[in-house]
Amino acid sequence: GGRPGHVYVLTEQGANLFPKKYSWFSQVLLQSLQAQMGEEKFEAYMYDLGVQTSAVGIPRLVGKNRTERVAEIVRIMNEAGFAAQTIAAEGNDKIPRIECKNCVYHDLSKDYPAVCRFDIGFLSGLMGADVEHQECMQRGGQACRFRFKPPA
């Protein structure tokens, strides 16, 4: 007897509508790491973390040539919100470069430029090549532009 019961459940999508403090928490972590390590070790740590993180994308690149890898890397970056695209190779380079119109770490990289080393490590790990950060929005550029250096 009595009134029918109603059960309400908040879905994950609904929970994500509430404000989060991910950026603040990230700043706390980065500040602590930088203070403990010093700038040079912190930059190396961010690069190594990027390389380690790239392991999740490696299976998507197996069997692809270098140009196909760049195209797949752009897809991976776009899944993370970078607004990335390939742009023409320059000079003697044979593979395209990557240009991003959105820095997903923009606020963090203002105070912690070493965050850019994460991206360089991530791209380097995916491509298996050194990366030149040719242009950076945080340093006044119109985009973040990355060039894969040819194998030695």
Side-chain angles (χ1 to χ4, degrees):
R3 296 180 187 204
H6 294 285
V7 177
Y8 296 94
V9 177
L10 186 61
T11 65
E12 186 175 332
Q13 185 179 9
N16 285 330
L17 294 174
F18 291 96
K20 306 288 188 267
K21 294 289 184 178
Y22 298 129
S23 183
W24 170 81
F25 185 66
S26 297
Q27 284 182 315
V28 168
L29 287 174
L30 293 174
Q31 182 179 25
S32 176
L33 286 170
Q34 186 177 31
Q36 288 179 21
M37 297 177 166
E39 188 64 34
E40 192 174 310
K41 286 183 180 176
F42 180 56
E43 284 187 18
Y45 172 80
M46 293 304 293
Y47 178 87
D48 291 343
L49 184 61
V51 171
Q52 291 169 17
T53 305
S54 72
V56 299
I58 297 294
R60 293 174 60 172
L61 304 172
V62 173
K64 292 181 173 24
N65 65 38
R66 288 173 52 86
T67 300
E68 293 167 337
R69 278 181 170 229
V70 172
E72 188 63 28
I73 290 169
V74 164
R75 283 190 278 281
I76 291 168
M77 294 180 82
N78 284 332
E79 289 166 11
F82 280 91
Q85 63 182 6
T86 58
I87 57 173
E90 61 181 10
N92 293 330
D93 290 347
K94 295 183 178 19
I95 62 170
R97 296 171 292 155
I98 294 177
E99 181 177 88
C100 301
K101 294 291 189 174
N102 181 46
C103 175
V104 297
Y105 318 112
H106 189 75
D107 290 341
L108 291 174
S109 64
K110 276 190 275 188
D111 295 326
Y112 304 97
V115 169
C116 295
R117 298 290 298 156
F118 176 86
D119 284 342
I120 295 167
F122 185 73
L123 294 172
S124 179
L126 287 172
M127 183 58 94
D130 289 334
V131 175
E132 178 185 352
H133 196 180
Q134 293 183 307
E135 187 175 348
C136 178
M137 288 187 280
Q138 207 52 265
R139 295 183 303 228
Q142 297 300 307
C144 287
R145 189 168 294 131
F146 304 94
R147 173 184 167 256
F148 297 101
K149 296 180 181 178

